[in-house]
PDB file of all heavy atoms in Angstrom:
ATOM      1  N   ARG A   1      37.438 -16.490-201.220  1.00 96.00           N
ATOM      2  CA  ARG A   1      38.142 -15.914-202.375  1.00 96.00           C
ATOM      3  C   ARG A   1      39.637 -15.704-202.070  1.00 96.00           C
ATOM      4  O   ARG A   1      40.468 -15.743-202.946  1.00 96.00           O
ATOM      5  CB  ARG A   1      37.506 -14.597-202.772  1.00 96.00           C
ATOM      6  CG  ARG A   1      36.030 -14.742-203.168  1.00 96.00           C
ATOM      7  CD  ARG A   1      35.345 -13.429-203.442  1.00 96.00           C
ATOM      8  NE  ARG A   1      35.315 -12.570-202.247  1.00 96.00           N
ATOM      9  CZ  ARG A   1      34.471 -12.708-201.236  1.00 96.00           C
ATOM     10  NH1 ARG A   1      33.575 -13.700-201.265  1.00 96.00           N
ATOM     11  NH2 ARG A   1      34.491 -11.890-200.204  1.00 96.00           N
ATOM     12  N   ASN A   2      39.946 -15.478-200.783  1.00 97.00           N
ATOM     13  CA  ASN A   2      41.347 -15.192-200.428  1.00 97.00           C
ATOM     14  C   ASN A   2      41.990 -16.298-199.586  1.00 97.00           C
ATOM     15  O   ASN A   2      43.139 -16.189-199.152  1.00 97.00           O
ATOM     16  CB  ASN A   2      41.484 -13.856-199.702  1.00 97.00           C
ATOM     17  CG  ASN A   2      40.822 -13.880-198.312  1.00 97.00           C
ATOM     18  OD1 ASN A   2      40.311 -14.915-197.857  1.00 97.00           O
ATOM     19  ND2 ASN A   2      40.785 -12.724-197.658  1.00 97.00           N
ATOM     20  N   GLY A   3      41.227 -17.379-199.329  1.00 97.00           N
ATOM     21  CA  GLY A   3      41.777 -18.506-198.601  1.00 97.00           C
ATOM     22  C   GLY A   3      41.834 -18.344-197.106  1.00 97.00           C
ATOM     23  O   GLY A   3      42.427 -19.177-196.417  1.00 97.00           O
ATOM     24  N   LYS A   4      41.215 -17.275-196.567  1.00 98.00           N
ATOM     25  CA  LYS A   4      41.189 -17.060-195.143  1.00 98.00           C
ATOM     26  C   LYS A   4      39.767 -17.236-194.629  1.00 98.00           C
ATOM     27  O   LYS A   4      38.855 -16.480-194.970  1.00 98.00           O
ATOM     28  CB  LYS A   4      41.709 -15.683-194.777  1.00 98.00           C
ATOM     29  CG  LYS A   4      43.192 -15.501-195.066  1.00 98.00           C
ATOM     30  CD  LYS A   4      43.744 -14.179-194.551  1.00 98.00           C
ATOM     31  CE  LYS A   4      45.232 -14.071-194.780  1.00 98.00           C
ATOM     32  NZ  LYS A   4      45.789 -12.837-194.217  1.00 98.00           N
ATOM     33  N   VAL A   5      39.606 -18.259-193.784  1.00 98.00           N
ATOM     34  CA  VAL A   5      38.285 -18.664-193.299  1.00 98.00           C
ATOM     35  C   VAL A   5      38.222 -18.537-191.771  1.00 98.00           C
ATOM     36  O   VAL A   5      39.040 -19.169-191.075  1.00 98.00           O
ATOM     37  CB  VAL A   5      37.941 -20.111-193.705  1.00 98.00           C
ATOM     38  CG1 VAL A   5      36.609 -20.531-193.126  1.00 98.00           C
ATOM     39  CG2 VAL A   5      37.934 -20.250-195.215  1.00 98.00           C
ATOM     40  N   GLY A   6      37.302 -17.751-191.257  1.00 98.00           N
ATOM     41  CA  GLY A   6      37.077 -17.663-189.825  1.00 98.00           C
ATOM     42  C   GLY A   6      36.131 -18.737-189.368  1.00 98.00           C
ATOM     43  O   GLY A   6      35.154 -19.045-190.035  1.00 98.00           O
ATOM     44  N   VAL A   7      36.450 -19.368-188.241  1.00 97.00           N
ATOM     45  CA  VAL A   7      35.606 -20.389-187.676  1.00 97.00           C
ATOM     46  C   VAL A   7      35.157 -19.972-186.284  1.00 97.00           C
ATOM     47  O   VAL A   7      35.971 -19.904-185.354  1.00 97.00           O
ATOM     48  CB  VAL A   7      36.330 -21.758-187.607  1.00 97.00           C
ATOM     49  CG1 VAL A   7      35.383 -22.859-187.101  1.00 97.00           C
ATOM     50  CG2 VAL A   7      36.904 -22.130-188.972  1.00 97.00           C
ATOM     51  N   LEU A   8      33.875 -19.767-186.121  1.00 96.00           N
ATOM     52  CA  LEU A   8      33.263 -19.376-184.859  1.00 96.00           C
ATOM     53  C   LEU A   8      32.622 -20.632-184.267  1.00 96.00           C
ATOM     54  O   LEU A   8      31.773 -21.224-184.863  1.00 96.00           O
ATOM     55  CB  LEU A   8      32.223 -18.304-185.098  1.00 96.00           C
ATOM     56  CG  LEU A   8      31.777 -17.378-183.959  1.00 96.00           C
ATOM     57  CD1 LEU A   8      32.959 -16.520-183.493  1.00 96.00           C
ATOM     58  CD2 LEU A   8      30.618 -16.490-184.425  1.00 96.00           C
ATOM     59  N   ALA A   9      33.096 -21.051-183.086  1.00 93.00           N
ATOM     60  CA  ALA A   9      32.583 -22.294-182.514  1.00 93.00           C
ATOM     61  C   ALA A   9      32.821 -22.294-181.010  1.00 93.00           C
ATOM     62  O   ALA A   9      33.446 -21.375-180.453  1.00 93.00           O
ATOM     63  CB  ALA A   9      33.255 -23.515-183.153  1.00 93.00           C
ATOM     64  N   THR A  10      32.349 -23.324-180.317  1.00 88.00           N
ATOM     65  CA  THR A  10      32.621 -23.465-178.897  1.00 88.00           C
ATOM     66  C   THR A  10      34.059 -23.930-178.717  1.00 88.00           C
ATOM     67  O   THR A  10      34.674 -24.530-179.605  1.00 88.00           O
ATOM     68  CB  THR A  10      31.694 -24.481-178.228  1.00 88.00           C
ATOM     69  OG1 THR A  10      31.979 -25.794-178.726  1.00 88.00           O
ATOM     70  CG2 THR A  10      30.219 -24.148-178.488  1.00 88.00           C
ATOM     71  N   ALA A  11      34.598 -23.663-177.515  1.00 88.00           N
ATOM     72  CA  ALA A  11      35.967 -24.096-177.222  1.00 88.00           C
ATOM     73  C   ALA A  11      36.098 -25.604-177.346  1.00 88.00           C
ATOM     74  O   ALA A  11      37.110 -26.116-177.845  1.00 88.00           O
ATOM     75  CB  ALA A  11      36.361 -23.615-175.837  1.00 88.00           C
ATOM     76  N   ARG A  12      35.074 -26.348-176.883  1.00 83.00           N
ATOM     77  CA  ARG A  12      35.133 -27.813-176.943  1.00 83.00           C
ATOM     78  C   ARG A  12      35.223 -28.283-178.384  1.00 83.00           C
ATOM     79  O   ARG A  12      35.987 -29.210-178.713  1.00 83.00           O
ATOM     80  CB  ARG A  12      33.900 -28.419-176.253  1.00 83.00           C
ATOM     81  CG  ARG A  12      33.693 -29.905-176.423  1.00 83.00           C
ATOM     82  CD  ARG A  12      34.855 -30.736-175.932  1.00 83.00           C
ATOM     83  NE  ARG A  12      35.197 -30.467-174.562  1.00 83.00           N
ATOM     84  CZ  ARG A  12      36.316 -30.844-173.985  1.00 83.00           C
ATOM     85  NH1 ARG A  12      37.246 -31.468-174.692  1.00 83.00           N
ATOM     86  NH2 ARG A  12      36.567 -30.575-172.736  1.00 83.00           N
ATOM     87  N   THR A  13      34.438 -27.687-179.281  1.00 86.00           N
ATOM     88  CA  THR A  13      34.497 -28.087-180.703  1.00 86.00           C
ATOM     89  C   THR A  13      35.887 -27.837-181.284  1.00 86.00           C
ATOM     90  O   THR A  13      36.469 -28.709-181.940  1.00 86.00           O
ATOM     91  CB  THR A  13      33.470 -27.311-181.519  1.00 86.00           C
ATOM     92  OG1 THR A  13      32.132 -27.713-181.143  1.00 86.00           O
ATOM     93  CG2 THR A  13      33.618 -27.552-183.020  1.00 86.00           C
ATOM     94  N   LEU A  14      36.452 -26.687-181.009  1.00 91.00           N
ATOM     95  CA  LEU A  14      37.725 -26.318-181.610  1.00 91.00           C
ATOM     96  C   LEU A  14      38.904 -27.110-181.055  1.00 91.00           C
ATOM     97  O   LEU A  14      39.937 -27.180-181.712  1.00 91.00           O
ATOM     98  CB  LEU A  14      37.991 -24.801-181.409  1.00 91.00           C
ATOM     99  CG  LEU A  14      36.972 -23.876-182.087  1.00 91.00           C
ATOM    100  CD1 LEU A  14      37.318 -22.412-181.807  1.00 91.00           C
ATOM    101  CD2 LEU A  14      36.908 -24.134-183.566  1.00 91.00           C
ATOM    102  N   LYS A  15      38.727 -27.706-179.880  1.00 87.00           N
ATOM    103  CA  LYS A  15      39.776 -28.546-179.309  1.00 87.00           C
ATOM    104  C   LYS A  15      39.644 -30.003-179.682  1.00 87.00           C
ATOM    105  O   LYS A  15      40.553 -30.813-179.408  1.00 87.00           O
ATOM    106  CB  LYS A  15      39.781 -28.419-177.761  1.00 87.00           C
ATOM    107  CG  LYS A  15      40.168 -27.058-177.238  1.00 87.00           C
ATOM    108  CD  LYS A  15      40.047 -27.026-175.721  1.00 87.00           C
ATOM    109  CE  LYS A  15      40.353 -25.668-175.125  1.00 87.00           C
ATOM    110  NZ  LYS A  15      40.084 -25.651-173.667  1.00 87.00           N
ATOM    111  N   GLY A  16      38.501 -30.370-180.248  1.00 84.00           N
ATOM    112  CA  GLY A  16      38.215 -31.774-180.514  1.00 84.00           C
ATOM    113  C   GLY A  16      39.128 -32.407-181.569  1.00 84.00           C
ATOM    114  O   GLY A  16      39.445 -31.765-182.572  1.00 84.00           O
ATOM    115  N   GLU A  17      39.481 -33.634-181.353  1.00 84.00           N
ATOM    116  CA  GLU A  17      40.375 -34.347-182.287  1.00 84.00           C
ATOM    117  C   GLU A  17      39.742 -34.451-183.661  1.00 84.00           C
ATOM    118  O   GLU A  17      40.423 -34.260-184.685  1.00 84.00           O
ATOM    119  CB  GLU A  17      40.693 -35.755-181.728  1.00 84.00           C
ATOM    120  CG  GLU A  17      41.620 -36.571-182.616  1.00 84.00           C
ATOM    121  CD  GLU A  17      41.837 -37.959-182.065  1.00 84.00           C
ATOM    122  OE1 GLU A  17      41.368 -38.254-180.946  1.00 84.00           O
ATOM    123  OE2 GLU A  17      42.506 -38.749-182.758  1.00 84.00           O
ATOM    124  N   LYS A  18      38.433 -34.716-183.707  1.00 82.00           N
ATOM    125  CA  LYS A  18      37.737 -34.861-184.990  1.00 82.00           C
ATOM    126  C   LYS A  18      37.812 -33.578-185.790  1.00 82.00           C
ATOM    127  O   LYS A  18      38.098 -33.556-186.980  1.00 82.00           O
ATOM    128  CB  LYS A  18      36.293 -35.235-184.715  1.00 82.00           C
ATOM    129  CG  LYS A  18      35.444 -35.467-185.980  1.00 82.00           C
ATOM    130  CD  LYS A  18      34.019 -35.826-185.568  1.00 82.00           C
ATOM    131  CE  LYS A  18      33.094 -35.935-186.758  1.00 82.00           C
ATOM    132  NZ  LYS A  18      33.400 -37.071-187.616  1.00 82.00           N
ATOM    133  N   PHE A  19      37.583 -32.435-185.107  1.00 89.00           N
ATOM    134  CA  PHE A  19      37.653 -31.136-185.783  1.00 89.00           C
ATOM    135  C   PHE A  19      39.051 -30.834-186.260  1.00 89.00           C
ATOM    136  O   PHE A  19      39.263 -30.388-187.400  1.00 89.00           O
ATOM    137  CB  PHE A  19      37.183 -30.008-184.867  1.00 89.00           C
ATOM    138  CG  PHE A  19      37.446 -28.647-185.392  1.00 89.00           C
ATOM    139  CD1 PHE A  19      36.614 -28.082-186.361  1.00 89.00           C
ATOM    140  CD2 PHE A  19      38.567 -27.914-185.006  1.00 89.00           C
ATOM    141  CE1 PHE A  19      36.899 -26.846-186.890  1.00 89.00           C
ATOM    142  CE2 PHE A  19      38.844 -26.671-185.549  1.00 89.00           C
ATOM    143  CZ  PHE A  19      37.982 -26.137-186.482  1.00 89.00           C
ATOM    144  N   LEU A  20      40.046 -31.075-185.411  1.00 93.00           N
ATOM    145  CA  LEU A  20      41.427 -30.750-185.775  1.00 93.00           C
ATOM    146  C   LEU A  20      41.918 -31.583-186.950  1.00 93.00           C
ATOM    147  O   LEU A  20      42.661 -31.097-187.804  1.00 93.00           O
ATOM    148  CB  LEU A  20      42.328 -30.899-184.549  1.00 93.00           C
ATOM    149  CG  LEU A  20      42.074 -29.933-183.400  1.00 93.00           C
ATOM    150  CD1 LEU A  20      42.910 -30.297-182.186  1.00 93.00           C
ATOM    151  CD2 LEU A  20      42.333 -28.512-183.853  1.00 93.00           C
ATOM    152  N   GLN A  21      41.481 -32.840-187.007  1.00 92.00           N
ATOM    153  CA  GLN A  21      41.850 -33.686-188.134  1.00 92.00           C
ATOM    154  C   GLN A  21      41.200 -33.167-189.419  1.00 92.00           C
ATOM    155  O   GLN A  21      41.838 -33.143-190.482  1.00 92.00           O
ATOM    156  CB  GLN A  21      41.387 -35.135-187.882  1.00 92.00           C
ATOM    157  CG  GLN A  21      42.211 -35.871-186.834  1.00 92.00           C
ATOM    158  CD  GLN A  21      41.678 -37.246-186.533  1.00 92.00           C
ATOM    159  OE1 GLN A  21      40.546 -37.601-186.886  1.00 92.00           O
ATOM    160  NE2 GLN A  21      42.493 -38.069-185.844  1.00 92.00           N
ATOM    161  N   LEU A  22      39.942 -32.753-189.295  1.00 92.00           N
ATOM    162  CA  LEU A  22      39.225 -32.192-190.453  1.00 92.00           C
ATOM    163  C   LEU A  22      39.924 -30.922-190.946  1.00 92.00           C
ATOM    164  O   LEU A  22      40.115 -30.729-192.148  1.00 92.00           O
ATOM    165  CB  LEU A  22      37.771 -31.922-190.104  1.00 92.00           C
ATOM    166  CG  LEU A  22      36.886 -31.348-191.206  1.00 92.00           C
ATOM    167  CD1 LEU A  22      36.718 -32.387-192.293  1.00 92.00           C
ATOM    168  CD2 LEU A  22      35.514 -30.947-190.628  1.00 92.00           C
ATOM    169  N   ARG A  23      40.291 -30.066-190.007  1.00 95.00           N
ATOM    170  CA  ARG A  23      40.989 -28.829-190.385  1.00 95.00           C
ATOM    171  C   ARG A  23      42.283 -29.119-191.144  1.00 95.00           C
ATOM    172  O   ARG A  23      42.543 -28.501-192.195  1.00 95.00           O
ATOM    173  CB  ARG A  23      41.285 -27.995-189.142  1.00 95.00           C
ATOM    174  CG  ARG A  23      41.993 -26.672-189.472  1.00 95.00           C
ATOM    175  CD  ARG A  23      42.509 -25.976-188.256  1.00 95.00           C
ATOM    176  NE  ARG A  23      43.536 -26.751-187.568  1.00 95.00           N
ATOM    177  CZ  ARG A  23      44.257 -26.294-186.554  1.00 95.00           C
ATOM    178  NH1 ARG A  23      44.073 -25.080-186.108  1.00 95.00           N
ATOM    179  NH2 ARG A  23      45.183 -27.061-185.977  1.00 95.00           N
ATOM    180  N   THR A  24      43.079 -30.037-190.613  1.00 96.00           N
ATOM    181  CA  THR A  24      44.326 -30.366-191.264  1.00 96.00           C
ATOM    182  C   THR A  24      44.110 -30.956-192.660  1.00 96.00           C
ATOM    183  O   THR A  24      44.795 -30.556-193.607  1.00 96.00           O
ATOM    184  CB  THR A  24      45.112 -31.396-190.397  1.00 96.00           C
ATOM    185  OG1 THR A  24      45.378 -30.820-189.121  1.00 96.00           O
ATOM    186  CG2 THR A  24      46.420 -31.791-191.062  1.00 96.00           C
ATOM    187  N   GLN A  25      43.154 -31.835-192.745  1.00 95.00           N
ATOM    188  CA  GLN A  25      42.868 -32.483-194.031  1.00 95.00           C
ATOM    189  C   GLN A  25      42.451 -31.440-195.102  1.00 95.00           C
ATOM    190  O   GLN A  25      42.978 -31.473-196.229  1.00 95.00           O
ATOM    191  CB  GLN A  25      41.741 -33.498-193.830  1.00 95.00           C
ATOM    192  CG  GLN A  25      41.230 -34.156-195.097  1.00 95.00           C
ATOM    193  CD  GLN A  25      39.975 -34.986-194.830  1.00 95.00           C
ATOM    194  OE1 GLN A  25      39.689 -35.357-193.713  1.00 95.00           O
ATOM    195  NE2 GLN A  25      39.212 -35.236-195.885  1.00 95.00           N
ATOM    196  N   ILE A  26      41.549 -30.551-194.721  1.00 96.00           N
ATOM    197  CA  ILE A  26      41.053 -29.601-195.718  1.00 96.00           C
ATOM    198  C   ILE A  26      42.106 -28.513-196.012  1.00 96.00           C
ATOM    199  O   ILE A  26      42.213 -28.036-197.124  1.00 96.00           O
ATOM    200  CB  ILE A  26      39.706 -28.990-195.246  1.00 96.00           C
ATOM    201  CG1 ILE A  26      38.682 -30.128-195.191  1.00 96.00           C
ATOM    202  CG2 ILE A  26      39.241 -27.879-196.177  1.00 96.00           C
ATOM    203  CD1 ILE A  26      37.351 -29.728-194.632  1.00 96.00           C
ATOM    204  N   SER A  27      42.880 -28.122-195.000  1.00 96.00           N
ATOM    205  CA  SER A  27      43.963 -27.160-195.200  1.00 96.00           C
ATOM    206  C   SER A  27      44.971 -27.680-196.220  1.00 96.00           C
ATOM    207  O   SER A  27      45.395 -26.950-197.123  1.00 96.00           O
ATOM    208  CB  SER A  27      44.672 -26.853-193.884  1.00 96.00           C
ATOM    209  OG  SER A  27      43.856 -26.121-193.028  1.00 96.00           O
ATOM    210  N   GLU A  28      45.318 -28.962-196.063  1.00 96.00           N
ATOM    211  CA  GLU A  28      46.309 -29.534-196.970  1.00 96.00           C
ATOM    212  C   GLU A  28      45.750 -29.674-198.380  1.00 96.00           C
ATOM    213  O   GLU A  28      46.475 -29.512-199.377  1.00 96.00           O
ATOM    214  CB  GLU A  28      46.731 -30.922-196.432  1.00 96.00           C
ATOM    215  CG  GLU A  28      47.555 -30.849-195.156  1.00 96.00           C
ATOM    216  CD  GLU A  28      47.902 -32.214-194.578  1.00 96.00           C
ATOM    217  OE1 GLU A  28      47.330 -33.210-195.082  1.00 96.00           O
ATOM    218  OE2 GLU A  28      48.733 -32.283-193.645  1.00 96.00           O
ATOM    219  N   ALA A  29      44.449 -29.949-198.467  1.00 95.00           N
ATOM    220  CA  ALA A  29      43.849 -30.154-199.789  1.00 95.00           C
ATOM    221  C   ALA A  29      43.556 -28.834-200.504  1.00 95.00           C
ATOM    222  O   ALA A  29      43.595 -28.788-201.751  1.00 95.00           O
ATOM    223  CB  ALA A  29      42.540 -30.940-199.639  1.00 95.00           C
ATOM    224  N   THR A  30      43.300 -27.769-199.761  1.00 95.00           N
ATOM    225  CA  THR A  30      42.818 -26.534-200.389  1.00 95.00           C
ATOM    226  C   THR A  30      43.767 -25.343-200.183  1.00 95.00           C
ATOM    227  O   THR A  30      43.557 -24.293-200.808  1.00 95.00           O
ATOM    228  CB  THR A  30      41.454 -26.136-199.831  1.00 95.00           C
ATOM    229  OG1 THR A  30      41.584 -25.795-198.454  1.00 95.00           O
ATOM    230  CG2 THR A  30      40.447 -27.270-200.002  1.00 95.00           C
ATOM    231  N   ARG A  31      44.734 -25.494-199.297  1.00 96.00           N
ATOM    232  CA  ARG A  31      45.626 -24.396-198.898  1.00 96.00           C
ATOM    233  C   ARG A  31      44.923 -23.305-198.111  1.00 96.00           C
ATOM    234  O   ARG A  31      45.461 -22.215-197.902  1.00 96.00           O
ATOM    235  CB  ARG A  31      46.331 -23.763-200.139  1.00 96.00           C
ATOM    236  CG  ARG A  31      47.109 -24.747-200.990  1.00 96.00           C
ATOM    237  CD  ARG A  31      48.441 -25.033-200.379  1.00 96.00           C
ATOM    238  NE  ARG A  31      49.230 -25.948-201.188  1.00 96.00           N
ATOM    239  CZ  ARG A  31      50.100 -25.567-202.109  1.00 96.00           C
ATOM    240  NH1 ARG A  31      50.298 -24.294-202.323  1.00 96.00           N
ATOM    241  NH2 ARG A  31      50.791 -26.458-202.771  1.00 96.00           N
TER     242      ARG A  31
END
């Protein structure tokens, strides 16, 4: 509702190129 999303994951997941690309893509699309 406020555009702030917490992501709980392993360090490996959060550093992964695939995850970071997905984050950027969805951030740009949804703010």
Side-chain angles (χ1 to χ4, degrees):
R1 300 174 298 282
N2 67 5
K4 293 187 177 183
V5 176
V7 183
L8 202 64
T10 67
R12 171 58 56 194
T13 292
L14 297 180
K15 292 176 183 175
E17 181 182 355
K18 181 180 174 69
F19 170 80
L20 294 174
Q21 288 176 346
L22 180 66
R23 180 191 63 172
T24 299
Q25 174 189 341
I26 296 175
S27 290
E28 291 176 350
T30 66
R31 304 281 181 93

